[in-house]
Amino acid sequence: MKRLSTLISILLLGIGLHAQQGRELTGSAREEAMQTILTATQQVKSIQCDFRQTKSSAMLTTPTEARGTMHYEAPDKLRWTYTEPTQYALEVDGESVALTGVNGKANRLMKPLGKLILTCINGSQLFDERIFQSQIFDNGATYEILLTSKRKDMQRIFTGILFVIDKKSLTVQRIRLDEKSGDNTLIQFQNIQVK
């Protein structure tokens, strides 16, 4: 009985993973999806939302969770504020990146993450083939964009970055960051207000 339950779990996990990836877009379908996403990002003047961030690690028995808010102003201002369990903020203004209330270890991950999120929100480097290798999947209600960095500094931290974009609103619903250490971070956005 235990083997049967293990087999069912493995099959369900496989089905869940396949469903998450959807159908990979290629050729003109890929170009059309890229253009749709880029056009939508370039029209955004501001975004405000709440987020929940869950970090999973082999070193932890249970994932850690943080909550906060994000404010974006086109073309290059971002304020990423953690409110729970501790309070600190990341501010990106063009090339300037400032952290408040953060220790040095968090600083290593937060600066590249802040710049990455900013460039993907404004679309300036989302599909830049000099920086990322990208795959786009159509999963029915969402586009899933899987990015693999070509930059050495990003490769030292991330093995892959997945953006899940709602096809109706063309807003990012989730971001998953897969780290080189084997850890991953899932950021889920809520109460999204776009202008």
Side-chain angles (χ1 to χ4, degrees):
M1 186 66 170
K2 187 174 180 180
R3 284 185 178 169
L4 179 60
S5 109
T6 303
L7 179 60
I8 290 170
S9 296
I10 291 170
L11 287 172
L12 289 174
L13 178 63
I15 290 167
L17 290 174
H18 178 49
Q20 184 177 0
Q21 289 280 301
R23 176 179 58 91
E24 184 172 3
L25 299 178
T26 59
S28 62
R30 173 186 164 81
E31 293 299 320
E32 184 178 318
M34 283 172 54
Q35 192 55 52
T36 299
I37 294 164
L38 288 174
T39 299
T41 60
Q42 291 165 355
Q43 293 174 352
V44 171
K45 292 183 180 17
S46 69
I47 300 174
Q48 292 186 3
C49 65
D50 300 323
F51 68 84
R52 185 177 78 202
Q53 179 175 307
T54 307
K55 174 134 180 143
S56 299
S57 172
M59 309 249 324
L60 302 171
T61 55
T62 58
T64 60
E65 189 172 293
R67 293 181 183 268
T69 60
M70 182 195 76
H71 299 273
Y72 163 76
E73 271 185 58
D76 59 1
K77 290 185 181 182
L78 174 71
R79 181 168 174 84
W80 188 271
T81 306
Y82 287 91
T83 57
E84 296 176 30
T86 58
Q87 296 182 354
Y88 59 96
L90 166 78
E91 291 188 53
V92 181
D93 189 351
E95 289 298 311
S96 171
V97 179
L99 293 156
T100 56
V102 176
N103 65 28
K105 187 176 180 183
N107 186 17
R108 178 183 69 84
L109 180 61
M110 289 303 299
K111 283 188 177 185
L113 176 59
K115 284 189 173 187
L116 172 71
I117 290 172
L118 180 62
T119 59
C120 292
I121 289 173
N122 66 23
S124 65
Q125 297 176 341
L126 185 59
F127 297 113
D128 188 335
E129 293 182 7
R130 296 168 300 170
I131 300 172
F132 297 113
Q133 175 184 336
S134 64
Q135 294 174 278
I136 304 173
F137 299 90
D138 185 335
N139 196 21
T142 61
Y143 288 120
E144 296 183 1
I145 302 169
L146 180 59
L147 301 177
T148 306
S149 180
K150 294 181 178 180
R151 290 178 32 188
K152 297 271 188 228
D153 61 335
M154 293 294 284
Q155 288 174 356
R156 283 192 284 270
I157 302 170
F158 303 114
T159 57
I161 302 156
L162 179 72
F163 287 87
V164 178
I165 299 173
D166 179 75
K167 286 171 75 173
K168 201 176 222 181
S169 66
L170 293 170
T171 57
V172 175
Q173 303 296 301
R174 294 184 301 280
I175 300 173
R176 190 186 72 217
L177 306 159
D178 296 323
E179 297 177 35
K180 193 166 186 161
S181 65
D183 297 355
N184 70 61
T185 302
L186 177 66
I187 303 167
Q188 298 173 293
F189 298 101
Q190 303 158 334
N191 307 318
I192 303 168
Q193 299 172 28
V194 179
K195 292 182 183 176

